[in-house]
Amino acid sequence: MDQSRTKQMTLLLACAFSLAISVARGEPLSPSNYLQKLSPGINLGNTMEAIPNETAWGNPKPTVAYFKAVKAAGFSSVRIPLAWTQYSDKDLRIDPKWMLHVSDVVHMANRAGLYAVINVHWDGGWIQATYAKRVAAKAKLAKFWTQIAINFRSYDDRLLFAGTNEIGVDGVYGPPTSENGEVQNGYNQVFVDAVRATGGMNKVRWLVVQGYNTNIDDAVKVNAKMPVDPAQGRLMMEVHYYAPYDFTLNERSDIWQWGAGATDPKATETWANEAYTDTAFQKMKETFVDRGVPVLVGEYCAGMKQRFPGMRPFRDEWDRYITQSAYRRGLVPMLWDTGSLFDRTTGEPKEPELIKTIVGAAK
């Protein structure tokens, strides 16, 4: 057999082997099994979206050991926030070295048995939901996603694309205007159009679009009408959850207790307790999940305030309850983590009990 024939046979055998592995992996991701296949998820936060480079925010480059540890702990998916602008030239051509690195990281996650979600993250804040910014932002978003999608168009359904991240207007946190909603919905459509046009597996790949500012009430009001998509039943909606902010993220706040177990009225805010959480996620269930649109809670977490050591049980209960409430309503919980749960180099769990709590709540 000549050398060219040998290469052809080798390629055919490799394709057959790949197909066999794909079949053995089980049913493709679908509206009926997405919750089990993706839950719970975790974020590779403050890493590949870091500015001005990957290690600038204190985390090492991703490792095989990390992804294996995440899978072994019981997580099913990993959201990988990504920066692109700093790795592109003046014509918005993405550096091939960065694209290859992103591909390697996705491979690490998939080989570990995890679904991966990649996005265009904050990326310097160039995407704003205003008429003044939308023409340039649409063109840039389409160019980035065309390149990303072409690179990954042969990947199977263990890779999901998420178009944007927390799109709103810098410094404005009130309800969106009609302008804000129209522009942000337009970004969702540009993302879908750009990816589908690249062909291959991207014709049917699961795509994740976002609610305005990833806020639940805004998503229900502004984004209930999903983008037009030639692939039927292949869109997901993403929101984030950090309520109440003074407990979860505001380190300057003296709020360190949460939920029905809170004992000090001065240390807690009752407006966003268990009932509020359930109501918020129920809105997402009725508006999206019940209509056949899966939902990702793409980020949620409560940080520890070191000056309040007694906060830990309340923090753990918040993580547990939000995970459980989301999952029970058909929403995929994807915890925001910036290196607190696992050693990012060795994969060694840093908070094994909290990890067990989160994984156990997604059942």
Side-chain angles (χ1 to χ4, degrees):
M1 185 180 294
D2 61 38
Q3 191 174 16
S4 62
R5 288 272 294 169
T6 301
K7 287 182 178 180
Q8 289 177 349
M9 289 300 295
T10 300
L11 180 61
L12 288 171
L13 288 171
C15 291
F17 178 73
S18 177
L19 179 60
I21 293 295
S22 180
V23 171
R25 193 179 293 124
E27 294 182 0
L29 191 64
S30 73
S32 62
N33 64 24
Y34 75 92
L35 190 63
Q36 291 72 34
K37 284 184 174 289
L38 299 178
S39 302
I42 191 171
N43 277 261
L44 187 74
N46 283 15
T47 307
M48 298 181 76
E49 83 279 27
I51 293 174
N53 59 66
E54 188 174 8
T55 59
W57 294 351
N59 281 312
K61 293 183 178 182
T63 64
V64 171
Y66 166 77
F67 289 113
K68 286 184 176 180
V70 166
K71 177 62 177 179
F75 288 93
S76 298
S77 60
V78 59
R79 181 174 179 258
I80 305 172
L82 291 164
W84 298 96
T85 298
Q86 66 201 32
Y87 303 107
S88 63
D89 65 17
K90 61 181 180 63
D91 295 317
L92 302 179
R93 290 174 297 201
I94 298 168
D95 185 342
K97 292 181 180 179
W98 179 246
M99 190 73 82
L100 179 60
H101 179 50
V102 175
S103 301
D104 287 342
V105 172
V106 171
H107 275 301
M108 291 182 197
N110 285 166
R111 288 193 195 110
L114 296 163
Y115 284 80
V117 181
I118 63 173
N119 70 0
V120 172
H121 207 65
W122 177 70
D123 210 16
W126 55 267
I127 312 178
Q128 298 286 308
T130 64
Y131 291 146
K133 298 287 187 180
R134 70 173 173 181
V135 173
K138 278 186 172 183
K140 185 171 180 178
L141 190 66
K143 190 153 189 177
F144 276 176
W145 271 113
T146 297
Q147 294 173 80
I148 298 165
I150 288 173
N151 182 74
F152 289 105
R153 63 183 164 194
S154 66
Y155 284 56
D156 63 24
D157 67 355
R158 292 174 300 161
L159 176 61
L160 293 77
F161 296 158
T164 56
N165 179 72
E166 297 183 354
I167 301 304
V169 180
D170 282 349
V172 179
Y173 301 104
T177 64
S178 58
E179 173 185 343
N180 301 149
E182 176 189 338
V183 174
Q184 197 267 343
N185 275 329
Y187 293 148
N188 284 341
Q189 187 67 62
V190 165
F191 160 61
V192 172
D193 291 345
V195 172
R196 295 296 185 224
T198 61
M201 290 296 295
N202 293 332
K203 288 183 178 180
V204 293
R205 186 175 309 284
W206 280 95
L207 305 181
V208 184
V209 298
Q210 286 202 328
Y212 181 83
N213 236 351
T214 57
N215 176 278
I216 288 175
D217 286 333
D218 294 343
V220 169
K221 294 174 183 176
V222 174
N223 307 105
K225 184 178 180 180
M226 299 289 284
V228 175
D229 185 13
Q232 296 297 311
R234 285 294 183 272
L235 295 181
M236 297 187 182
M237 173 57 66
E238 179 183 348
V239 291
H240 297 169
Y241 190 84
Y242 289 107
Y245 168 74
D246 282 340
F247 174 78
T248 61
L249 296 181
N250 187 358
E251 294 184 0
R252 293 178 292 180
S253 170
D254 290 338
I255 301 299
W256 58 275
Q257 295 188 3
W258 180 84
T263 58
D264 183 354
K266 295 181 180 179
T268 188
E269 292 180 338
T270 58
W271 68 268
N273 282 356
E274 292 91 344
Y276 177 89
T277 302
D278 293 342
T279 298
F281 291 158
Q282 185 66 23
K283 291 177 184 177
M284 293 302 295
K285 178 182 184 298
E286 293 174 358
T287 305
F288 296 101
V289 176
D290 289 350
R291 293 168 45 216
V293 179
V295 173
L296 305 183
V297 182
E299 294 182 17
Y300 70 101
C301 81
M304 277 292 297
K305 299 173 184 177
Q306 299 305 319
R307 68 185 190 280
F308 296 116
M311 182 180 181
R312 185 171 299 278
F314 296 102
R315 186 281 307 262
D316 292 358
E317 175 58 13
W318 188 94
D319 283 343
R320 185 201 68 80
Y321 196 90
I322 274 60
T323 303
Q324 183 181 76
S325 181
Y327 184 83
R328 288 183 173 179
R329 288 164 179 79
L331 284 58
V332 177
M334 307 189 81
L335 189 80
W336 177 255
D337 180 54
T338 59
S340 298
L341 291 190
F342 296 89
D343 184 295
R344 288 287 182 81
T345 300
T346 66
E348 184 71 22
K350 292 182 177 180
E351 294 206 46
E353 292 306 314
L354 179 57
I355 291 169
K356 289 179 182 177
T357 294
I358 293 166
V359 171
K363 294 180 180 178

